[in-house]
Amino acid sequence: MSGPTSAFWQERFDKQETRWDRGAPSPQLLAWLDSGALAPCRIAVPGCGGGWEVAELARRGFDVIGIDYTEAAVERSRALLASQHLTARIERADVLTWQPDAPLDAIYEQTCLCAIHPDHWTAYAAQLQRWLKPGGTLFALFMQMVRPGATQEGLIEGPPYHCDINAMRALFPATQWDWPKPPYAQVQHPNISHELVVPLVRR
Protein backbone atom coordinates (compact mmCIF):
# COMPACT_ATOMS: atom_id res chain seq x y z
CA MET A 1 0.00 0.00 0.00
CA SER A 2 1.31 3.43 -0.95
CA GLY A 3 1.71 6.05 1.73
CA PRO A 4 1.59 6.05 5.54
CA THR A 5 0.46 2.92 7.36
CA SER A 6 -1.31 2.39 10.65
CA ALA A 7 2.11 1.77 12.21
CA PHE A 8 3.30 5.17 10.91
CA TRP A 9 0.39 6.93 12.64
CA GLN A 10 0.79 4.84 15.79
CA GLU A 11 4.38 6.07 16.03
CA ARG A 12 3.21 9.68 15.66
CA PHE A 13 0.87 9.21 18.63
CA ASP A 14 3.50 7.36 20.66
CA LYS A 15 5.99 10.19 20.09
CA GLN A 16 3.29 12.84 20.62
CA GLU A 17 3.95 14.20 17.13
CA THR A 18 0.34 15.10 16.42
CA ARG A 19 0.62 18.63 15.08
CA TRP A 20 -2.76 18.30 13.35
CA ASP A 21 -4.52 17.96 16.71
CA ARG A 22 -5.84 21.34 17.89
CA GLY A 23 -6.82 19.95 21.27
CA ALA A 24 -10.39 21.04 20.55
CA PRO A 25 -13.02 20.65 17.84
CA SER A 26 -12.40 22.41 14.54
CA PRO A 27 -13.79 25.96 14.54
CA GLN A 28 -15.47 25.21 11.22
CA LEU A 29 -17.36 22.28 12.72
CA LEU A 30 -18.55 24.57 15.50
CA ALA A 31 -19.60 27.18 12.91
CA TRP A 32 -21.63 24.62 10.96
CA LEU A 33 -23.26 23.42 14.17
CA ASP A 34 -24.01 26.86 15.58
CA SER A 35 -25.50 28.07 12.28
CA GLY A 36 -27.74 25.03 11.94
CA ALA A 37 -26.12 24.00 8.64
CA LEU A 38 -25.30 20.72 10.38
CA ALA A 39 -28.17 19.48 12.54
CA PRO A 40 -28.49 16.20 14.49
CA CYS A 41 -28.44 13.22 12.14
CA ARG A 42 -26.54 9.99 11.44
CA ILE A 43 -22.95 11.06 10.70
CA ALA A 44 -19.48 9.53 10.37
CA VAL A 45 -16.09 11.08 11.11
CA PRO A 46 -13.44 9.16 9.13
CA GLY A 47 -9.91 9.45 10.48
CA CYS A 48 -11.31 10.67 13.78
CA GLY A 49 -7.90 10.92 15.50
CA GLY A 50 -8.20 12.16 19.07
CA GLY A 51 -12.00 12.30 18.84
CA TRP A 52 -12.63 16.01 19.42
CA GLU A 53 -15.18 16.29 16.62
CA VAL A 54 -16.84 12.98 17.55
CA ALA A 55 -17.29 14.19 21.12
CA GLU A 56 -18.73 17.54 20.06
CA LEU A 57 -21.21 15.87 17.71
CA ALA A 58 -22.23 13.38 20.41
CA ARG A 59 -22.72 16.24 22.87
CA ARG A 60 -25.11 17.89 20.41
CA GLY A 61 -27.28 14.84 19.91
CA PHE A 62 -25.88 13.26 16.75
CA ASP A 63 -25.78 9.53 16.04
CA VAL A 64 -22.05 9.59 15.36
CA ILE A 65 -19.52 6.98 14.27
CA GLY A 66 -15.80 7.72 14.53
CA ILE A 67 -13.50 5.60 12.35
CA ASP A 68 -9.74 5.22 12.60
CA TYR A 69 -7.35 2.33 11.90
CA THR A 70 -4.73 3.34 14.44
CA GLU A 71 -5.04 1.83 17.91
CA ALA A 72 -3.85 4.97 19.70
CA ALA A 73 -6.45 7.12 17.95
CA VAL A 74 -9.24 4.72 18.87
CA GLU A 75 -8.08 4.62 22.48
CA ARG A 76 -7.85 8.42 22.70
CA SER A 77 -11.29 8.90 21.18
CA ARG A 78 -12.90 6.40 23.53
CA ALA A 79 -11.13 7.91 26.53
CA LEU A 80 -12.28 11.41 25.58
CA LEU A 81 -15.88 10.26 25.25
CA ALA A 82 -15.71 8.46 28.60
CA SER A 83 -14.20 11.50 30.34
CA GLN A 84 -17.10 13.65 29.13
CA HIS A 85 -19.77 11.00 29.75
CA LEU A 86 -20.71 10.93 26.07
CA THR A 87 -21.81 8.05 23.87
CA ALA A 88 -20.66 7.39 20.29
CA ARG A 89 -19.40 4.46 18.27
CA ILE A 90 -15.66 4.36 17.69
CA GLU A 91 -14.62 1.69 15.21
CA ARG A 92 -11.09 0.59 14.45
CA ALA A 93 -11.23 0.06 10.69
CA ASP A 94 -9.68 1.03 7.36
CA VAL A 95 -11.80 3.68 5.66
CA LEU A 96 -10.97 2.11 2.29
CA THR A 97 -12.90 -1.04 3.22
CA TRP A 98 -15.28 -0.04 6.05
CA GLN A 99 -19.00 0.10 5.34
CA PRO A 100 -21.78 1.50 7.55
CA ASP A 101 -24.61 -0.79 8.59
CA ALA A 102 -27.06 1.79 7.20
CA PRO A 103 -26.66 4.82 4.90
CA LEU A 104 -25.41 8.04 6.45
CA ASP A 105 -27.00 11.49 6.38
CA ALA A 106 -23.66 13.29 6.59
CA ILE A 107 -19.89 12.85 6.74
CA TYR A 108 -17.42 15.20 8.40
CA GLU A 109 -14.19 15.04 6.38
CA GLN A 110 -11.29 17.07 7.70
CA THR A 111 -8.03 15.25 8.20
CA CYS A 112 -8.63 11.88 6.54
CA LEU A 113 -8.29 12.62 2.83
CA CYS A 114 -5.09 14.64 3.29
CA ALA A 115 -3.60 11.77 5.33
CA ILE A 116 -4.22 9.18 2.60
CA HIS A 117 -1.69 8.79 -0.22
CA PRO A 118 -3.17 10.18 -3.47
CA ASP A 119 -2.94 6.70 -5.02
CA HIS A 120 -5.95 5.82 -2.86
CA TRP A 121 -7.99 8.99 -3.24
CA THR A 122 -10.34 7.67 -5.92
CA ALA A 123 -11.12 4.59 -3.81
CA TYR A 124 -11.75 6.78 -0.76
CA ALA A 125 -13.99 9.20 -2.69
CA ALA A 126 -16.02 6.25 -3.97
CA GLN A 127 -16.39 5.05 -0.39
CA LEU A 128 -17.74 8.41 0.76
CA GLN A 129 -20.33 8.41 -2.00
CA ARG A 130 -21.39 4.85 -1.09
CA TRP A 131 -21.74 5.73 2.58
CA LEU A 132 -24.06 8.70 2.02
CA LYS A 133 -27.74 8.75 1.23
CA PRO A 134 -28.71 10.69 -1.93
CA GLY A 135 -29.05 14.27 -0.76
CA GLY A 136 -26.60 13.66 2.10
CA THR A 137 -23.81 16.16 2.71
CA LEU A 138 -20.06 15.74 2.79
CA PHE A 139 -18.88 18.52 5.10
CA ALA A 140 -15.37 18.78 3.68
CA LEU A 141 -12.32 20.77 4.69
CA PHE A 142 -9.70 20.44 1.96
CA MET A 143 -6.14 20.85 3.24
CA GLN A 144 -3.99 23.37 1.36
CA MET A 145 -0.35 22.37 1.80
CA VAL A 146 1.67 23.41 -1.24
CA ARG A 147 5.30 22.29 -1.18
CA PRO A 148 8.12 23.34 -3.57
CA GLY A 149 9.04 19.73 -4.33
CA ALA A 150 5.52 19.08 -5.56
CA THR A 151 5.16 22.18 -7.73
CA GLN A 152 8.72 22.18 -9.11
CA GLU A 153 9.53 18.47 -9.41
CA GLY A 154 6.19 16.68 -9.30
CA LEU A 155 7.00 14.91 -6.03
CA ILE A 156 4.14 13.51 -3.97
CA GLU A 157 4.88 14.97 -0.57
CA GLY A 158 2.98 14.38 2.64
CA PRO A 159 1.20 13.72 4.84
CA PRO A 160 -0.59 16.02 4.90
CA TYR A 161 -1.01 15.85 1.12
CA HIS A 162 -2.06 18.98 -0.73
CA CYS A 163 -5.74 18.80 -1.74
CA ASP A 164 -5.60 21.03 -4.82
CA ILE A 165 -9.08 22.29 -5.66
CA ASN A 166 -8.79 21.20 -9.29
CA ALA A 167 -7.94 17.68 -8.14
CA MET A 168 -10.90 17.82 -5.77
CA ARG A 169 -13.22 18.76 -8.65
CA ALA A 170 -12.03 15.68 -10.51
CA LEU A 171 -12.24 13.48 -7.43
CA PHE A 172 -15.77 14.62 -6.55
CA PRO A 173 -17.20 15.35 -10.02
CA ALA A 174 -20.20 17.61 -10.54
CA THR A 175 -22.05 14.68 -12.11
CA GLN A 176 -22.13 13.07 -8.66
CA TRP A 177 -21.89 16.00 -6.26
CA ASP A 178 -23.41 19.48 -6.05
CA TRP A 179 -20.62 22.01 -5.55
CA PRO A 180 -21.10 25.45 -3.98
CA LYS A 181 -19.77 28.35 -6.00
CA PRO A 182 -16.30 29.69 -5.12
CA PRO A 183 -14.66 31.51 -3.50
CA TYR A 184 -14.51 29.22 -0.49
CA ALA A 185 -13.95 30.25 3.10
CA GLN A 186 -10.59 29.47 4.68
CA VAL A 187 -9.92 27.90 8.05
CA GLN A 188 -6.47 28.68 9.37
CA HIS A 189 -4.67 25.85 11.13
CA PRO A 190 -2.24 26.99 13.84
CA ASN A 191 0.24 24.18 13.20
CA ILE A 192 -0.01 23.35 9.51
CA SER A 193 -1.56 25.63 6.88
CA HIS A 194 -5.18 26.30 6.00
CA GLU A 195 -8.21 24.43 4.73
CA LEU A 196 -10.91 25.33 2.21
CA VAL A 197 -14.49 24.96 3.40
CA VAL A 198 -16.47 23.02 0.75
CA PRO A 199 -19.71 21.24 1.72
CA LEU A 200 -20.73 18.86 -1.08
CA VAL A 201 -24.19 17.35 -1.52
CA ARG A 202 -24.43 13.84 -2.95
CA ARG A 203 -26.63 13.66 -6.02
Side-chain angles (χ1 to χ4, degrees):
M1 177 178 176
S2 304
T5 63
S6 178
F8 170 89
W9 294 113
Q10 182 70 35
E11 185 178 5
R12 301 283 82 71
F13 280 99
D14 290 344
K15 293 182 176 180
Q16 299 185 355
E17 296 173 354
T18 55
R19 296 173 57 236
W20 66 86
D21 190 328
R22 285 186 171 91
S26 164
Q28 183 56 45
L29 176 65
L30 298 179
W32 275 323
L33 291 169
D34 291 343
S35 71
L38 180 53
C41 64
R42 180 175 167 81
I43 187 170
V45 182
C48 63
W52 298 104
E53 285 73 27
V54 173
E56 186 63 30
L57 291 164
R59 180 179 297 107
R60 301 209 191 197
F62 286 75
D63 178 6
V64 55
I65 307 167
I67 310 152
D68 208 295
Y69 73 165
T70 301
E71 182 178 357
V74 170
E75 290 176 353
R76 281 198 189 186
S77 293
R78 288 175 176 166
L80 179 64
L81 289 166
S83 71
Q84 298 184 14
H85 307 289
L86 297 169
T87 301
R89 288 168 55 191
I90 303 294
E91 297 195 13
R92 186 179 180 189
D94 186 339
V95 295
L96 298 179
T97 57
W98 181 84
Q99 293 297 325
D101 53 14
L104 302 171
D105 301 302
I107 299 168
Y108 178 75
E109 158 54 54
Q110 181 186 3
T111 56
C112 195
L113 178 65
C114 69
I116 297 172
H117 191 281
D119 282 355
H120 306 290
W121 279 3
T122 54
Y124 179 57
Q127 282 281 83
L128 299 182
Q129 187 190 35
R130 279 191 290 266
W131 298 351
L132 275 177
K133 296 176 179 177
T137 303
L138 173 63
F139 290 89
L141 295 172
F142 292 137
M143 176 62 69
Q144 303 303 292
M145 196 72 181
V146 180
R147 294 181 175 85
T151 57
Q152 296 175 16
E153 302 174 60
L155 300 176
I156 300 176
E157 297 186 329
Y161 299 99
H162 174 54
C163 297
D164 176 79
I165 198 64
N166 296 312
M168 298 300 98
R169 293 293 303 225
L171 194 62
F172 301 98
T175 55
Q176 299 175 356
W177 301 86
D178 288 330
W179 277 74
K181 292 182 179 180
Y184 303 122
Q186 294 185 17
V187 177
Q188 298 299 319
H189 198 294
N191 299 321
I192 303 176
S193 182
H194 73 276
E195 298 149 325
L196 294 180
V197 178
V198 189
L200 301 175
V201 177
R202 184 192 187 281
R203 288 181 176 269

